[in-house]
Structure formats: C-alpha cells, structure tokens
Amino acid sequence: MNITVTEEAASWYKDELDLEENDNLQFYVRYGGVGGLQPGFSLGIKVDTPYEAVAETSVEGITFYIEKSDEWYFDNHSLHVSYDEQWEEPAMSYEN
C-alpha cells in the first residue's frame, strides 16, 4: 500500500487547514460517509503525530500518512490524492 499526494492537493490542505512546514496530516477511517472502499465507512483527515504509519509521503513540507490500524480499509489498494479543478478541492482515488 502506498499513498501519493499531488502538489496541488497538498497546497490546498496547507491553505485550508493552516498547515505549516513539518506538520502531519493523517487519513483515517471513520464510520459513515459516501464513496469509500468499504461500505459504511469513509476517510477523514486530522492533524496528528504518526504513531505506527503504514504508508506516508511528504509533499510541500507536510507529511501525509495512514496508520497501521486503518490498513484494513484499503484492502491492498493505494491511496492517490489529487486536486479536482471543477470542485476546487482534493479528490481521492484508490488504485491496485
């Protein structure tokens, strides 16, 4: 499992969440939502410190990561976060 974040998406997170260099942004599994890999669950985000990251990448000075405890959700898929120009927000997709 890997995680990729485009520079455009990273910039959006930095601006919207007032993130600074060396901050960490976690993608975590939450109950509810639409469009996830597992029925009834979706991804949330929070600024936190990695504990046991199973996937991470640094873009624009921000470390984006997923904890081992949420690995089940991805079912051997990788997370790709890009920027959707039409909606002016990040878009998540999952790749084998």
Side-chain angles (χ1 to χ4, degrees):
M1 180 174 91
N2 293 309
I3 179 173
T4 57
V5 179
T6 65
E7 288 185 18
E8 296 82 7
S11 291
W12 185 92
Y13 283 115
K14 281 178 77 172
D15 292 343
E16 291 295 315
L17 301 175
D18 293 323
L19 300 176
E20 297 179 3
E21 185 114 359
N22 298 319
D23 278 345
N24 304 293
L25 187 69
Q26 178 185 356
F27 292 97
Y28 69 95
V29 178
R30 65 185 193 94
Y31 183 71
V34 183
L37 276 173
Q38 305 292 340
F41 296 92
S42 61
L43 286 183
I45 57 169
K46 65 181 173 180
V47 178
D48 206 351
T49 301
Y51 171 70
E52 193 175 7
V54 67
E56 66 180 50
T57 188
S58 292
V59 183
E60 297 277 320
I62 307 302
T63 298
F64 298 87
Y65 71 99
I66 298 165
E67 288 288 348
K68 184 170 180 60
S69 60
D70 290 324
E71 185 176 23
W72 64 270
Y73 174 83
F74 294 92
D75 191 28
N76 294 319
H77 289 80
S78 292
L79 175 64
H80 179 72
V81 184
S82 58
Y83 182 76
D84 186 314
E85 295 284 339
Q86 179 182 355
W87 294 102
E88 298 180 344
E89 63 185 22
M92 297 180 199
S93 61
Y94 306 95
E95 302 168 351
N96 284 332

